[in-house]
Amino acid sequence: MPEAAEPITLPSGAGVPASETPRPQGLLILLVAVVVVAALYLAKTVLIPITLAVLLSFVLGPVVALFRRIHLPKVLAVLLAVLLALTVILLIATLIGTQIADLASNLPQYQATVMQKVDTVRSFATSRMSALTDQFSHIPTVQSHHPGGLATAAPAPASGHVAGQPMPVTVEQPAPSTLSVAKSLLMPVLEPIETIGIVIVFAIFFLLQKEDMRDRLIRLFGSSDLHRTTLAIDDAGKRLSRYFLSQLAVNACFGVIIGSGLAFIGVPSPLLWGVLAMLLRFVPYIGSAISCLLPVALAAAVDPHWGKAIQALALFVVVEGITGQVVEPMTYGSTTGLSPVAVLVVAVFWSWLWGPIGLILSTPLTLCLVVVGRHVKRLEFFDVLLGDRPALTPVETFYQRLLAHDPDEVQEQAEQLLQTRSLSAYYDGVARRALELAAQDILRGAFSSSQVARLRTDLATLIEELEGYDDIDPPERLKNRDVVVSGVERPGRTVHKQPAPDVAIEAADTETGDATPEVRPLVLCVSGRGPLDEVPSAMTGQLLRKHGFDTRMAKHDETSRTNIAAFDTGDAALICVSCLEILGQPPYLRYLIRRLRQRLPGVPIIVGLWPAGDPVLLDEDLRQMMGADGYAGSLRDMVIQAVELVRTDN
């Protein structure tokens, strides 16, 4: 294990480069964002119908496709789908209007019950406050005494106008004309009809011009890569259509169940509350809670007691729990692909911009932005800000927590990842990649010697904490993989199991077939000369110990030209030279292999770690020039080659 207290010699460099001069692009982006928000707010009268039409076209897309499968012309299929949607919208609007009118006419009947409950709650609260006051504070009542007795009332002013006072003026409005009365009656009706008409017209054109709009988007965002952009847009359209249609079906069933349950309980206007529950449930997390407030309050107003209110509240809680935890995961997944915090933020944002309609449309609109951000590079920031995918990769998270000097979170992440992968896979896929990022920062002078020492200490602590994990794939992963070659997924190859961690390598007698345990072979784990090369060497040693080897760590200074003669080799059966990353044929590594070969002739030497595709891993002539017996591109490959070389020698 590397010593953290040892002084570290860092490569000379120019230091951390100065921060860049602020550029006008950031100010321009902020200005564009302000202009877009202002345009959304000022043009909401026009944009709301267009947005509703776009979402309606996503919902009706599968319906149009279904009509097209029965060989209906495109225009007829679109018109039938839109007519079906218009019929449903008009039925819902009529239902809501009649239910509201019926409820308004019956509200005076519930006034007495409401006042009775208010008086009951008020008297209960007053009695409790009085009891608490009498219990905890005993303050005597002080009555004020006026020396002059009761004050005489001032004489009432005489009726009539008093001199010096302003003359009262009465303004009488003229009788409203027939036109103003008709306008006041028709405008509340004409405005929704106008909005519905605009939505229907735009939805028809969006469905008819679907391919043309797709081509224009391709030209706008990705004409340089038609294949990938076309697949991305088609995939996004299908996913959005499937999601909207599934959510509409789930919310409709939710509304039907709520309406039926409220009717069974005896709450007035159950159809109205069922429709509102369906619409408000498009707002995640808080939509169901908002939809239950009015029916629960109405149930309390209808019933002199609290039974109906409790039953209505229990109905919402049970139905929402089953829908959210069982039905939705089976239908379209447990999440919408949005961050919970982002959902709440965008709900407030769209409500501020467009009112109640914005609240209902907040999740669909945000989902569209996230899907587009996942496929369009220029709009990727939408996915980063609003999506539920991790903002950082596991490698970046590992490195960031190391920089923050938080070994506990590093270990927590390691334990989570080791539930789905082996120890060597974790080291190769996460830890070593993060070390490469650290090595690059060290080369550019971003670390001081004390920071590198702290980094090495945290990594040494992590390796010690992971000593109890075996280098085998977890059982749940093996169940999902058909082929595993020495722990490495290689489809189409023969299956070989890894040696058990606590079993020494055995030599089998070819005549009798008996397996006799031998002494655990000793492997010298030599680190390179880089500031962090001792870390992959320690990882290699830990993995080798889990596969039946004894190991001894050797620092680069022990194998230098002046110290190689005194280098304690013991009874080494193998030498593993570990460097964080090797490019090409560095001279120092070639000379190191030569010194080790002279000091321990006949002992196999494995060297790594080269990046995948390096010429040394592919060219036999280059490998012979280096002089080693094995060349690894990962820690797992180094362990596999070590097992094979030792077994071959035996």
Side-chain angles (χ1 to χ4, degrees):
M1 197 64 60
E3 298 290 339
E6 183 178 340
I8 301 170
T9 303
L10 298 179
S12 59
V16 181
S19 59
E20 296 182 358
T21 304
R23 298 180 179 180
Q25 283 80 357
L27 182 60
L28 180 60
I29 293 175
L30 179 61
L31 180 61
V32 170
V34 172
V35 171
V36 169
V37 172
L40 289 174
Y41 181 77
L42 297 176
K44 60 182 178 180
T45 306
V46 178
L47 293 179
I48 288 178
I50 295 177
T51 304
L52 291 173
V54 172
L55 297 180
L56 182 61
S57 65
F58 277 117
V59 174
L60 296 181
V63 181
V64 174
L66 179 62
F67 287 152
R68 293 284 289 166
R69 291 194 191 100
I70 59 177
H71 305 291
L72 288 180
K74 184 176 181 179
V75 176
L76 182 59
V78 170
L79 292 178
L80 286 177
V82 173
L83 181 62
L84 178 63
L86 180 60
T87 303
V88 173
I89 293 173
L90 292 178
L91 288 177
I92 292 176
T94 304
L95 179 63
I96 292 177
T98 55
Q99 289 287 300
I100 291 178
D102 182 62
L103 181 63
S105 62
N106 294 328
L107 280 180
Q109 302 177 9
Y110 313 135
Q111 183 176 2
T113 305
V114 173
M115 295 303 299
Q116 179 184 356
K117 290 183 180 294
V118 171
D119 292 338
T120 302
V121 173
R122 182 185 302 167
S123 61
F124 176 78
T126 303
S127 62
R128 293 296 299 172
M129 292 298 297
S130 300
L132 291 174
T133 303
D134 295 338
Q135 182 178 359
F136 294 105
S137 61
H138 302 281
I139 302 175
T141 304
V142 180
Q143 297 181 353
S144 59
H145 300 278
H146 299 280
L150 296 176
T152 58
S159 59
H161 176 64
V162 180
Q165 296 295 328
M167 178 71 69
V169 178
T170 302
V171 179
E172 296 183 358
Q173 296 288 345
S177 62
T178 305
L179 182 61
S180 61
V181 173
K183 182 179 180 180
S184 61
L185 293 177
L186 293 179
M187 285 303 295
V189 180
L190 292 179
E191 288 183 359
I193 295 178
E194 178 186 5
T195 302
I196 293 175
I198 295 175
V199 170
I200 294 300
V201 171
F202 273 103
I204 291 175
F205 278 96
F206 288 156
L207 291 171
L208 290 176
Q209 301 294 324
K210 179 180 177 181
E211 290 77 11
D212 180 68
M213 294 177 62
R214 180 197 62 192
D215 295 341
R216 295 181 184 277
L217 288 176
I218 292 174
R219 177 64 182 273
L220 183 62
F221 293 109
S223 59
S224 59
D225 191 351
L226 292 177
H227 175 71
R228 180 175 299 177
T229 307
T230 302
L231 291 179
I233 292 179
D234 290 343
D235 177 67
K238 291 178 181 178
R239 288 178 181 272
L240 289 173
S241 297
R242 190 183 306 115
Y243 168 74
F244 289 147
L245 200 59
S246 301
Q247 191 181 38
L248 179 61
V250 171
N251 292 353
C253 294
F254 178 83
V256 170
I257 296 175
I258 290 296
S260 302
L262 293 177
F264 179 78
I265 294 173
V267 179
S269 305
L271 296 179
L272 172 63
W273 310 126
V275 172
L276 289 181
M278 178 192 71
L279 295 178
L280 288 175
R281 204 178 179 280
F282 282 99
V283 182
Y285 303 111
I286 59 175
S288 299
I290 295 174
S291 65
C292 79
L293 295 179
L294 290 178
V296 171
L298 184 60
V302 172
D303 188 9
H305 305 286
W306 296 96
K308 290 186 177 181
I310 296 175
Q311 293 175 7
L313 181 61
L315 174 67
F316 274 92
V317 172
V318 172
V319 176
E320 172 60 26
I322 296 175
T323 304
Q325 302 301 323
V326 179
V327 178
E328 285 183 341
M330 295 175 58
T331 306
Y332 52 83
S334 58
T335 64
T336 60
L338 303 177
S339 168
V341 176
V343 169
L344 297 179
V345 172
V346 298
V348 174
F349 174 75
W350 288 109
S351 300
W352 170 70
L353 277 180
W354 291 353
I357 294 294
L359 180 64
I360 296 176
L361 297 179
S362 60
T363 300
L365 288 175
T366 308
L367 181 62
C368 292
L369 295 177
V370 170
V371 172
V372 172
R374 290 181 180 178
H375 292 286
V376 180
K377 189 66 176 178
R378 299 178 186 175
L379 303 178
E380 188 180 6
F381 64 92
F382 283 126
D383 184 28
V384 176
L385 293 176
L386 305 175
D388 62 347
R389 297 192 300 184
L392 300 177
T393 64
V395 175
E396 294 169 340
T397 301
F398 182 96
Y399 186 40
Q400 186 273 331
R401 292 173 181 176
L402 280 180
L403 294 176
H405 188 45
D406 194 346
D408 293 332
E409 288 195 15
V410 174
Q411 182 178 349
E412 181 183 5
Q413 184 207 32
E415 292 175 352
Q416 292 176 352
L417 294 176
L418 286 172
Q419 296 177 2
T420 58
R421 66 190 72 191
S422 64
L423 184 60
S424 59
Y426 167 72
Y427 280 156
D428 281 325
V430 179
R432 186 167 67 90
R433 302 301 180 190
L435 289 176
E436 292 173 0
L437 297 178
Q440 295 174 4
D441 288 341
I442 292 174
L443 289 176
R444 69 183 183 91
F447 281 86
S448 64
S449 299
S450 60
Q451 290 174 328
V452 176
R454 188 181 66 182
L455 194 67
R456 290 171 57 181
T457 302
D458 292 342
L459 291 168
T461 303
L462 174 65
I463 296 173
E464 292 177 356
E465 294 292 340
L466 299 182
E467 187 68 36
Y469 285 88
D470 296 332
D471 186 28
I472 55 177
D473 286 317
E476 61 271 15
R477 190 181 185 208
L478 292 177
K479 292 178 182 178
N480 299 327
R481 299 291 186 269
D482 296 332
V483 178
V484 177
V485 180
S486 299
V488 184
E489 300 174 20
R490 297 177 184 176
R493 300 284 297 276
T494 309
V495 176
H496 300 283
K497 295 183 179 179
Q498 294 180 341
D502 55 348
V503 177
I505 297 180
E506 300 175 348
D509 188 350
T510 56
E511 295 182 358
T512 63
D514 297 333
T516 58
E518 295 182 348
V519 178
R520 294 167 64 94
L522 176 63
V523 179
L524 296 177
C525 297
V526 181
S527 60
R529 67 177 185 181
L532 298 178
D533 283 350
E534 294 181 17
V535 178
S537 181
M539 294 177 179
T540 303
Q542 185 184 65
L543 295 175
L544 289 172
R545 289 192 298 272
K546 296 181 181 299
H547 290 285
F549 293 91
D550 283 335
T551 61
R552 188 174 75 82
M553 301 296 107
K555 300 179 181 179
H556 184 265
D557 292 341
E558 298 180 43
T559 59
S560 63
R561 290 179 173 85
T562 57
N563 298 328
I564 189 65
F567 179 46
D568 183 14
T569 61
D571 191 15
L574 182 67
I575 301 174
C576 290
V577 181
S578 300
C579 302
L580 190 56
E581 185 175 9
I582 310 172
L583 297 176
Q585 306 176 63
Y588 83 91
L589 185 59
R590 191 165 62 249
Y591 295 135
L592 173 61
I593 296 173
R594 182 182 302 176
R595 293 195 298 270
L596 292 174
R597 184 71 73 190
Q598 294 173 355
R599 184 71 177 82
L600 292 170
V603 177
I605 300 176
I606 303 176
V607 183
L609 306 159
W610 273 272
D614 192 276
V616 174
L617 299 177
L618 305 176
D619 194 332
E620 181 66 26
D621 295 335
L622 293 178
R623 292 199 294 269
Q624 291 180 359
M625 291 176 58
M626 292 293 297
D629 299 283
Y631 302 86
S634 65
L635 296 174
R636 176 170 289 189
D637 288 342
M638 186 172 290
V639 173
I640 294 173
Q641 293 186 34
V643 173
E644 293 175 351
L645 284 174
V646 172
R647 283 180 173 174
T648 301
D649 292 342
N650 292 336

